[in-house]
Amino acid sequence: EIVLTQSPGSLSLSPGESATLSCRASRSLSNIYLAWYQQKPGQTPRLLIYGASSRATGIPDRFSGSGSETDFTLTISRLEPEDFAVYYCQQFGSSAYTFGQGTKLEIK
Amino acid sequence: QVHLVQSGAEVKRPGASVKISCKVSGYRLAEISMQWVRQAPGEGLEWMGGLHPENGKIVYAQKLQGRVTMTEDTSTDTAYMEVTSLTSEDTAFYYCVIGTYFFDPWGQGTLVTVSS
């Protein structure tokens, strides 16, 4: 099973700043198998990025994904108040899906 | 547009079983790969199993092998997920979600509480 490790565990920033969230895989994976989700309290997760860098329908362009092999990044530029949430990366490999443990983005 | 509607909340005793349904609309169940994900209160997301996007076989997470069964009724476009031998560690929100290499859209979630 591929393990995904997200860092940092939590991040405190102010609206207008940029956030950089990391997701590291225990072994190399194809970009098409890496996705990012946002989850707000009491809500279901929402797909943000798939294929490591493609934005899902309706996702603002301040959200961007990058990376390859074992290191992937979600960047949120110009943070809006509604962006403060928990973010998860997810991969598919060896016939199983795994999620990272999440990064909590908090308002400073 | 695909829409998933799950059955309602359940409260179960330890050792019991629970079966959750997920009704698909806007698409035929036979044409999609259904996955199941759960989330314990305050915890992260855990994939439970689902239809392999490349070979069409049902695959279960190793941790849940032997306790979880996923079935589909294509005549009603409804997917089911049953978990047996419940313990307090199975208390969680359970989600059906359409997944190939990523998960979208998600059902609204079903809260299963295991308590004596």
Side-chain angles (χ1 to χ4, degrees):
Chain A
E1 168 179 295
I2 296 177
V3 176
L4 297 179
T5 302
Q6 293 187 240
S7 61
S10 63
L11 188 57
S12 292
L13 293 170
S14 300
E17 293 188 299
S18 292
T20 301
L21 285 62
S22 173
C23 176
R24 179 161 289 177
S26 59
R27 61 175 188 266
S28 182
L29 54 97
S30 171
N31 282 18
I32 66 170
Y33 298 145
L34 197 284
W36 290 92
Y37 302 84
Q38 175 194 67
Q39 188 178 31
K40 298 179 182 179
Q43 296 186 18
T44 63
R46 176 173 72 147
L47 175 69
L48 296 175
I49 301 287
Y50 63 93
S53 60
S54 297
R55 274 187 299 277
T57 302
I59 302 303
D61 61 7
R62 63 178 184 273
F63 290 89
S64 63
S66 63
S68 63
E69 298 189 350
T70 59
D71 289 295
F72 298 89
T73 300
L74 175 68
T75 301
I76 314 170
S77 57
R78 308 180 306 277
L79 283 165
E80 298 282 346
E82 62 266 27
D83 297 337
F84 292 91
V86 178
Y87 292 84
Y88 296 95
C89 57
Q90 168 257 315
Q91 69 82 36
F92 171 76
S94 302
S95 296
Y97 301 84
T98 53
F99 290 91
Q101 82 279 17
T103 290
K104 186 174 184 179
L105 180 57
E106 300 173 305
I107 297 179
K108 194 172 185 179
Chain B
Q1 188 175 358
V2 184
H3 194 53
L4 307 177
V5 177
Q6 299 181 222
S7 48
E10 302 263 13
V11 179
K12 296 292 183 181
R13 301 288 191 198
S17 299
V18 67
K19 191 171 186 177
I20 299 167
S21 67
C22 174
K23 169 73 174 174
V24 179
S25 61
Y27 229 89
R28 302 305 309 273
L29 180 58
E31 296 170 341
I32 60 178
S33 293
M34 185 67 76
Q35 310 293 329
W36 291 85
V37 173
R38 70 178 180 178
Q39 185 174 37
E43 301 295 323
L45 301 166
E46 177 186 19
W47 173 73
M48 301 178 66
L51 209 62
H52 193 291
E54 295 168 354
N55 64 25
K57 297 181 180 179
I58 294 178
V59 182
Y60 299 115
Q62 204 164 7
K63 174 183 175 182
L64 295 167
Q65 285 271 5
R67 284 209 304 132
V68 63
T69 304
M70 295 168 188
T71 56
E72 297 183 346
D73 182 348
T74 53
S75 68
T76 61
D77 292 319
T78 302
Y80 299 90
M81 193 279 299
E82 181 177 27
V83 184
T84 60
S85 303
L86 291 167
T87 73
S88 58
E89 294 187 354
D90 294 312
T91 293
F93 280 94
Y94 289 76
Y95 298 99
C96 59
V97 58
I98 294 176
T100 51
Y101 304 130
F102 53 87
F103 299 148
D104 184 61
W106 296 63
Q108 85 276 18
T110 297
L111 178 61
V112 175
T113 303
V114 183
S115 174
S116 55

